[in-house]
Amino acid sequence: MIKIENVGVSKENKTILAAISVTLTEPRIGIIGSNGSGKSTFAKLLNGLERATTGAVFVNDAPIGKNNKTALGKVGFVFQNPDNQIVFPIVVEDLAFGLKKSGLSKQQIQSRITTYLEQFGLRHLLERRTHELSGGEKQLIALIGVLLMEPEIIVLDEPTTLLDLRNRSILLKLLAELPQKLIIVSHDLALMAEMDRLLWIENGNIHQDGSPEAVISAYRQFAESES
Amino acid sequence: MLTSTYYAGQSFLHTTRPLFKVLALFLVCTLLFVFDTWFVLTPICLAVFGLYGIAGIPRSEILLALRPAFWMLLFIFIVQIYFESLQLASFVILRFVTMILAASLLTLTTKTSDLIAALEQFFNRFLPEHIAETISLAFSLCFRFIPLVRQTFDEVTEAQKARGHHKDWRALATPTIIRTLKSADEISQAIIARSVETSHLSAANERRDREHS
Ligand SMILES: Nc1ncnc2c1ncn2[C@@H]1O[C@H](COP(=O)(O)OP(=O)(O)OP(=O)(O)O)[C@@H](O)[C@H]1O
Ligand SMILES: [Mg+2]
């Protein structure tokens, strides 16, 4: 469970998020909102990648303090831009990176990686150079890199943007089956309609919070009236 | 030299411990500088080429390794001929080429992650664990940043070409630097997020093993 109390974030004298309070308990939570509204910033607050300027964030009732290691271990994060998340030049090396401190043996790590790649039908990428992958392949590898670590909660920042139809449906099926709690930032309204709860962030505030049907229809009206 | 160049293979060079390779490289470079005579340079140079053959690395990779340094080498060559002699110029260039190729041989036959792990182990011997770990994280960052700068630069160049601009160094440098810094922030975040402890995984494995036995 993640609890956010009066959290504000400002950078360079600009308010990016303004005093948000919300408790996230549902298994599938979606976040929508316009470009630049503060979704990625909000998402990064949830495991301490982004520091709250005011207020506090709690993961399982423990506040994320100066040391965010515990929160980082509990809450996995899939970045919006996979290029920034992939660290190593070879796929298998990159995936192994997250398991370095798992205490698993080399073989166990290897077989774990193979199993996860097979789930996505991506076994053939094992030895490929990461910078040569397509955007969608990178996005999947970045996601697998986090899934492998089995965090309790996973935050995904626009996981479907670069995927083709086939990979999108593979991903959606997998997400639906995951035992973890998921918090997904996305402009993909079809995916957002499947959530248990939807937050709409606008201008650094939670503009609306409720069932996907209600929030999406209000969001649609808003987008049409603005244009 | 700028992008990762691991070339998969099974040769003894691929399987030698990374730390040995680092030490050997260090030794070779020292020898080349301490004894600057053809009697040392020639056998080492031949040995390096021989090792490329043994490692099964194609000639094209040798050219790729040297390409980024080409203009600099040419410049040094001309300056040396001008101030010294053709003989000395050839010697200096061949020495650089040998060192670059020896260094590339290390990255061609060693996975970055293995290299980092080896360095971490090495530092672990005489430094406290958390410091050794910080050093190895710094290495990961370095290895990641070199191709990042390269890639950002290429993308910025392409974008500007597409908009009909020609090479203008100021117009290239500014976005490259800003974009690199922005990505740098997030890459550091990602590295930190991905290097947290995940001992629950091995614990779960052990539990499963116990239940099966
Ligand atoms: N380091 C920073 N310094 C200053 N401003 C920033 C910084 N990071 C983000 N911002 C600003 O904060 C606002 C929110 O950014 P954020 O990335 O959270 O938006 P977003 O909702 O994820 O947008 P998108 O849908 O485009 O991904 C933007 O206006 C952005 O310009
Ligand atoms: Mg965003």
Side-chain angles (χ1 to χ4, degrees):
Chain A
M1 186 196 71
I2 299 178
K3 195 161 107 196
I4 292 167
E5 264 181 21
N6 256 321
V7 168
V9 174
S10 13
K11 276 183 191 170
E12 289 150 24
N13 294 326
K14 193 174 144 225
T15 307
I16 296 173
L17 291 178
I20 290 186
S21 293
V22 65
T23 305
L24 307 174
T25 46
E26 292 76 1
R28 299 286 185 266
I29 297 177
I31 297 173
I32 56 172
S34 319
N35 291 129
S37 56
K39 302 179 300 295
S40 293
T41 310
F42 178 80
K44 282 186 184 170
L45 271 175
L46 305 177
N47 63 355
L49 281 176
E50 193 75 63
R51 302 291 160 118
T53 317
T54 58
V57 179
F58 300 83
V59 176
N60 296 346
D61 294 323
I64 304 179
K66 246 196 148 79
N67 181 354
N68 55 3
K69 286 261 161 68
T70 329
L72 286 173
K74 293 220 153 65
V75 186
F77 193 93
V78 184
F79 288 76
Q80 183 166 3
N81 180 355
D83 273 321
N84 292 345
Q85 183 166 350
I86 295 174
V87 184
F88 279 98
I90 314 274
V91 169
V92 54
E93 288 186 281
D94 186 74
L95 294 178
F97 178 58
L99 299 174
K100 233 174 102 176
K101 287 196 217 151
S102 61
L104 294 172
S105 72
K106 262 198 158 152
Q107 277 94 348
Q108 286 169 325
I109 289 181
Q110 205 70 20
S111 74
R112 201 177 169 81
I113 291 172
T114 325
T115 316
Y116 271 85
L117 281 175
E118 270 164 2
Q119 259 184 38
F120 282 88
L122 296 177
R123 170 101 208 240
H124 58 284
L125 296 184
L126 197 69
E127 292 287 343
R128 287 276 301 276
R129 296 184 183 181
T130 45
H131 68 99
E132 290 170 359
L133 300 178
S134 77
E137 288 167 338
K138 281 186 194 165
Q139 199 161 32
L140 290 175
I141 294 300
L143 169 66
I144 294 172
V146 172
L147 291 181
L148 272 173
M149 297 167 73
E150 293 189 5
E152 275 175 37
I153 302 171
I154 303 179
V155 181
L156 302 108
D157 197 354
E158 309 201 14
T160 59
T161 39
L162 303 168
L163 302 182
D164 62 24
L165 271 181
R166 185 177 143 270
N167 279 331
R168 179 177 174 276
S169 64
I170 293 179
L171 176 80
L172 296 195
K173 202 164 144 261
L174 185 114
L175 289 181
E177 287 163 5
L178 281 179
Q180 280 105 337
K181 287 196 172 144
L182 300 181
I183 297 167
I184 307 178
V185 177
S186 183
H187 297 290
D188 183 337
L189 293 182
L191 168 61
M192 291 293 96
E194 308 277 312
M195 301 288 116
D196 301 315
R197 176 182 175 188
L198 203 50
L199 304 182
W200 168 11
I201 294 185
E202 209 52 65
N203 259 327
N205 276 301
I206 295 187
H207 187 78
Q208 197 172 344
D209 175 0
S211 73
E213 302 86 64
V215 177
I216 288 177
S217 76
Y219 182 64
R220 279 224 162 89
Q221 267 175 11
F222 167 82
E224 273 154 26
S225 71
E226 289 273 294
S227 58
Chain B
M1 235 163 40
L2 276 173
T3 41
S4 139
T5 51
Y6 180 69
Y7 195 87
Q10 299 297 327
S11 75
F12 90 90
L13 266 169
H14 285 88
T15 49
T16 306
R17 282 180 49 196
L19 199 56
F20 278 138
K21 288 190 266 190
V22 175
L23 290 177
L25 178 64
F26 185 72
L27 190 72
V28 161
C29 292
T30 313
L31 280 178
L32 286 175
F33 268 103
V34 174
F35 303 101
D36 52 355
T37 99
W38 287 99
F39 291 108
V40 174
L41 178 57
T42 318
I44 290 183
C45 183
L46 289 175
V48 168
F49 275 99
L51 287 173
Y52 270 84
I54 292 174
I57 291 164
R59 239 168 277 160
S60 56
E61 292 284 339
I62 299 184
L63 292 180
L64 273 179
L66 290 173
R67 205 176 53 183
F70 179 77
W71 292 108
M72 196 189 69
L73 290 175
L74 189 69
F75 175 73
I76 296 174
F77 188 63
I78 292 169
V79 170
Q80 290 284 344
I81 292 181
Y82 188 78
F83 287 106
E84 305 285 344
S85 65
L86 177 63
Q87 215 217 354
L88 192 76
S90 325
F91 181 83
V92 170
I93 293 306
L94 194 64
R95 185 164 66 183
F96 270 121
V97 167
T98 308
M99 285 195 295
I100 293 173
L101 289 183
S104 300
L105 199 54
L106 171 71
T107 53
L108 278 164
T109 60
T110 318
K111 283 187 179 168
T112 317
S113 56
D114 291 342
L115 193 58
I116 289 168
L119 291 169
E120 190 172 344
Q121 257 175 22
F122 176 70
F123 288 118
N124 248 329
R125 279 184 212 162
F126 48 87
L127 291 174
E129 192 181 330
H130 68 278
I131 296 181
E133 197 179 281
T134 312
I135 293 178
S136 94
L137 270 184
F139 275 113
S140 315
L141 274 168
C142 288
F143 282 114
R144 179 64 187 86
F145 272 79
I146 298 164
L148 168 73
V149 176
R150 174 68 178 248
Q151 191 189 0
T152 311
F153 181 76
D154 288 350
E155 280 172 15
V156 171
T157 314
E158 249 176 52
Q160 298 206 342
K161 259 194 219 143
R163 287 162 59 194
H165 292 280
H166 287 287
K167 275 217 166 146
D168 168 356
W169 284 101
R170 214 184 28 198
L172 284 176
T174 320
T176 303
I177 293 170
I178 292 177
R179 280 192 39 194
T180 307
L181 288 178
K182 276 201 90 170
S183 317
D185 261 356
E186 213 170 78
I187 290 175
S188 321
Q189 282 181 346
I191 288 184
I192 292 167
R194 296 186 58 200
S195 53
V196 295
E197 201 184 309
T198 46
S199 47
H200 61 282
L201 298 176
S202 54
N205 254 14
E206 272 167 32
R207 228 175 11 251
R208 224 182 14 249
D209 288 349
R210 266 203 309 276
E211 280 161 16
H212 278 268
S213 63

